[in-house]
Amino acid sequence: MVALQSNPSRPALMPPQGRNGPPRRRKGPHLWAVLFLIPSLGAIALFDYWPLLRTLFLSMQTTNLFGQPKGFVGGENYADMLSDPDFWRTLGTTVAFMAGSVTGKLLLGLAIAVPLSSRLRGTAIFRATALVPMAVSVAVAGLAFRALMTPSSGLFDVIANTFGGENVGWLTSTSISLISVIMVDVWTALGFTVLLLLAALDSIETQIYEAAAIDGARFWRQLTSVTLPLITPTLFFIVVTQSIQSLREFTVISVLTGGGPADSTKTLVLDIYDAAFGGTADYGAASALSIVLLILILALTAIQFGVLERRVNYK
Amino acid sequence: MKSATRIALLTYLATVALVIVLPIAYVAFGAVRPSPAVTGTLLDIIPTGFTWDHVVSAFNRAPLFQQILNSTLVLIAQTGLQVLTSLLAAYAIVFGRFKRPTLILGLYLVTMMIPNEATVVANYLTIRSLGLFDTLLAVFLPFIASAYSIFLLRQSFLSFPTEIVEASRLDGVGPIRFLTRFLIPLTKPTVMAVSLVSAIAAWNGYLWPLLVTESPEARTVQVGVKALFDEADTDIGAGLAGLIIVSIPTIILVLVGQKFLARGITEGAVK
């Protein structure tokens, strides 16, 4: 640099630094960048952060029919909620729905994705069928299954009757209804889970399988000691996202059963909806339930990251 | 692989594929089957005959045209605005020379942990007090920003070659021209993926449009088709036809954009 500067016949490649050069680059963010953030920050402030605070506030208030706070009641909404046996039943249903749905999505996803990933001649066309559940909305899927589950004339009962069975009462029996809505929820997520699993399975080097085969590992052994350990990050991702998704699920249940029969499929989100919009307009109680939902989701995320991440083989 | 194993595997996959497709096939066949749309026999799983009657009946029973128009407007506004605000935000985060860009990103990402279902009551009250109840604006307004889109775009902007950034800066290219001339064209697959995911979500929205609209004319298709299905109890053919009609746009989007869609889903998982 010294030699370069001392040679007046050659222009400097770099602009000189310091007080004789052009003004130093201004520190701090560009003005345009700040402006660019405003629309999205404004939106999340108004529709994410503000409602969060407002929900917390409302959960400690009684409200009139317009949601205007009528007075501070402290933890009364929470106390009412916790002493209500229906709340605990709803919570139990929510957890059962979540457990069933996540297990179903994972097992069925694997049962489809693993054979597809063999890349055997003729399997390519079946990959496309995994996309079918993505092509229709959850509401449409729910209504389609409602048609299939219609007592006696729906296809599911027709099949049951063909094999000499009685009508099952897919959506009308309190002991079956939860299983039915779980089934539909699993179907709606198949495209998502299969796509994710296929992407993970396809990235496993074929040499690993060849080596395992030379070592004499049969299919089941290969699956449990080679395939699954290698795709644990994806399995983990599916468990986290789908647990949260099923805690939040409204459409499937609302469309199929509306929470019935006899509240047998009523989860937390359905309960929030009922409290706020089911005629009573009890926004205070609905807000307290919303806070419970929020806490559940936050806790779940934390637990899953804490416990599962240690057992996951990140590459 | 032994041919017996191969046949067994293919049979298995074919069965699974049939079971996955069955609900949609059942609806589609019923929607065009001459009355009765559902016979209540095993014949319901195959197409038997063709008629437009149920489609016509669906349009007669519900303001489906209006609702399709509503959903189309919501899709265009929601996707357009969401992609626009996300591009701007991601661009600012990556190239805006902020001291702590990840902190700003964090402001967005935190919202992914706040489930919409938990804030739906408060947001409903906000829409009420803004006087927007039962308007289309209310349906898409809360979704004009998306942390997911911002995150995916930011990831792809991060890998943008810095030489181009420097070179264009020296050439005096302003931020907007840089965004439209270089950044968007060169990260097109991600922009496409984000747009597609956003568009499908906009068309498929259910809980929120259900809450903030009331009159049949302001409803979006998903809520409208549920109402049609409920009241068409004795005319199940109309209900089934309605389901197919409102699914046509997403079927096309998924078919055309499956590559981008797969990218949008797997990228979010891997990064």
Side-chain angles (χ1 to χ4, degrees):
Chain A
M1 283 306 275
V2 175
L4 211 78
Q5 275 170 350
S6 65
N7 184 348
S9 66
R10 288 180 68 184
L13 287 174
M14 300 286 289
Q17 302 287 307
R19 60 174 63 170
N20 294 329
R24 214 179 264 253
R25 273 185 166 186
R26 194 171 48 87
K27 287 282 173 200
H30 290 293
L31 177 64
W32 58 259
V34 178
L35 294 175
F36 281 8
L37 288 176
I38 289 174
S40 46
L41 278 182
I44 64 167
L46 185 57
F47 291 107
D48 288 293
Y49 286 111
W50 163 241
L52 188 65
L53 292 176
R54 191 172 187 182
T55 304
L56 200 60
F57 174 72
L58 282 172
S59 74
M60 292 179 278
Q61 299 271 329
T62 54
T63 52
N64 65 15
L65 284 180
F66 305 102
Q68 303 301 325
K70 260 180 14 192
F72 183 79
V73 293
E76 204 176 282
N77 288 328
Y78 290 97
D80 287 349
M81 177 179 75
L82 295 175
S83 62
D84 182 358
D86 286 347
F87 166 73
W88 294 103
R89 188 179 167 206
T90 301
L91 206 59
T93 308
T94 308
V95 172
F97 177 76
M98 180 181 81
S101 153
V102 173
T103 315
K105 285 170 187 174
L106 212 53
L107 291 184
L108 206 58
L110 282 170
I112 296 169
V114 169
L116 277 181
S117 73
S118 67
R119 291 200 169 279
L120 192 63
R121 215 152 31 85
T123 57
I125 180 183
F126 297 120
R127 286 192 171 219
T129 53
L131 288 167
V132 170
M134 299 182 99
V136 298
S137 71
V138 174
V140 167
L143 292 169
F145 274 97
R146 211 172 88 185
L148 287 163
M149 292 171 173
T150 306
S152 85
S153 69
L155 184 67
F156 284 9
D157 271 352
V158 169
I159 291 174
N161 295 337
T162 307
F163 290 100
E166 304 267 305
N167 287 349
V168 177
W170 301 98
L171 302 173
T172 50
S173 149
T174 51
S175 52
I176 308 281
S177 55
L178 189 62
I179 298 169
S180 299
V181 294
I182 288 173
M183 250 165 55
V184 180
D185 192 46
V186 169
W187 186 90
T188 61
L190 268 188
F192 177 80
T193 43
V194 170
L195 262 184
L196 275 178
L197 288 169
L198 272 178
L201 290 166
D202 286 348
S203 70
I204 300 176
E205 309 272 342
T206 45
Q207 290 98 305
I208 298 180
Y209 286 121
E210 282 158 16
I214 290 168
D215 287 346
R218 302 293 298 260
F219 171 75
W220 195 251
R221 189 75 213 282
Q222 260 187 36
L223 182 70
T224 52
S225 32
V226 179
T227 313
L228 292 184
L230 281 173
I231 60 165
T232 31
T234 301
L235 299 178
F236 169 65
F237 180 80
I238 291 175
V239 170
V240 174
T241 52
Q242 293 308 308
S243 302
I244 293 170
Q245 182 52 47
S246 54
L247 275 183
R248 297 173 52 180
E249 188 54 54
F250 174 80
T251 310
V252 164
I253 303 172
S254 166
V255 158
L256 278 168
T257 65
D263 290 349
S264 59
T265 54
K266 189 175 189 176
T267 59
L268 213 41
V269 179
L270 272 284
D271 209 11
I272 294 172
Y273 180 85
D274 276 353
F277 310 107
T280 52
D282 193 345
Y283 297 125
S287 298
L289 287 165
S290 298
I291 296 295
V292 173
L293 177 70
L294 184 74
I295 291 171
L296 274 182
I297 284 175
L298 292 180
L300 196 76
T301 318
I303 291 171
Q304 285 182 326
F305 273 101
V307 176
L308 284 174
E309 200 156 17
R310 262 177 280 144
R311 292 208 237 142
V312 171
N313 300 307
Y314 281 106
K315 276 178 217 161
Chain B
M1 196 178 290
K2 278 194 230 99
S3 69
T5 329
R6 178 156 179 262
I7 289 168
L9 191 61
L10 286 178
T11 314
Y12 166 75
L13 283 173
T15 315
V16 170
L18 279 179
V19 171
I20 294 177
V21 176
L22 181 75
I24 304 303
Y26 181 83
V27 172
F29 298 154
V32 296
R33 178 178 291 116
S35 289
V38 172
T39 62
T41 66
L42 282 177
L43 284 178
D44 286 343
I45 56 173
I46 54 166
T48 55
F50 184 91
T51 174
W52 289 108
D53 290 356
H54 306 306
V55 176
V56 173
S57 169
F59 278 104
N60 284 337
R61 279 176 175 276
L64 267 187
F65 270 123
Q66 179 67 45
Q67 291 168 351
I68 289 170
L69 183 68
N70 291 346
S71 280
T72 308
L73 291 174
V74 167
L75 181 146
I76 293 170
Q78 184 167 320
T79 307
L81 288 170
Q82 197 182 94
V83 172
L84 179 69
T85 63
S86 302
L87 277 169
L88 293 178
Y91 180 38
I93 290 170
V94 177
F95 299 108
R97 231 197 292 149
F98 286 102
K99 213 178 267 170
R100 308 276 294 277
T102 46
L103 201 70
I104 299 170
L105 182 69
L107 276 179
Y108 292 101
L109 293 187
V110 167
T111 65
M112 291 173 89
M113 282 190 281
I114 309 172
N116 291 338
E117 291 74 12
T119 52
V120 90
V121 176
N123 277 336
Y124 167 84
L125 295 173
T126 302
I127 290 297
R128 276 271 183 189
S129 54
L130 290 174
L132 294 176
F133 183 74
D134 211 24
T135 66
L136 284 184
L137 185 58
V139 176
F140 67 81
L141 193 60
F143 302 103
I144 62 170
S146 157
Y148 171 78
S149 302
I150 292 172
F151 178 70
L152 279 191
L153 287 170
R154 177 236 182 210
Q155 295 301 97
S156 82
F157 288 179
L158 278 181
S159 57
F160 194 79
T162 45
E163 301 86 60
I164 301 184
V165 183
E166 290 304 319
S168 65
R169 202 166 273 163
L170 290 177
D171 285 348
V173 174
I176 302 216
R177 264 190 59 203
F178 179 69
L179 182 68
T180 53
R181 295 280 293 283
F182 296 101
L183 213 47
I184 295 177
L186 286 172
T187 55
K188 206 171 138 203
T190 309
V191 178
M192 290 291 288
V194 162
S195 313
L196 202 62
V197 170
S198 169
I200 293 175
W203 185 267
N204 287 349
Y206 183 75
L207 171 58
W208 180 249
L210 173 70
L211 290 182
V212 295
T213 59
E214 189 175 43
S215 54
E217 290 72 28
R219 292 293 204 192
T220 54
V221 284
Q222 306 297 332
V223 183
V225 82
K226 159 78 160 58
L228 169 67
F229 204 88
D230 281 346
E231 67 167 54
D233 213 16
T234 49
D235 182 9
I236 190 165
L240 298 179
L243 295 186
I244 296 297
I245 294 165
V246 307
S247 302
I248 290 171
T250 43
I251 291 172
I252 293 173
L253 281 178
V254 168
L255 281 180
V256 174
Q258 47 177 295
K259 199 178 66 188
F260 296 112
L261 202 61
R263 188 189 171 98
I265 289 170
T266 46
E267 265 192 11
V270 175
K271 296 280 167 66

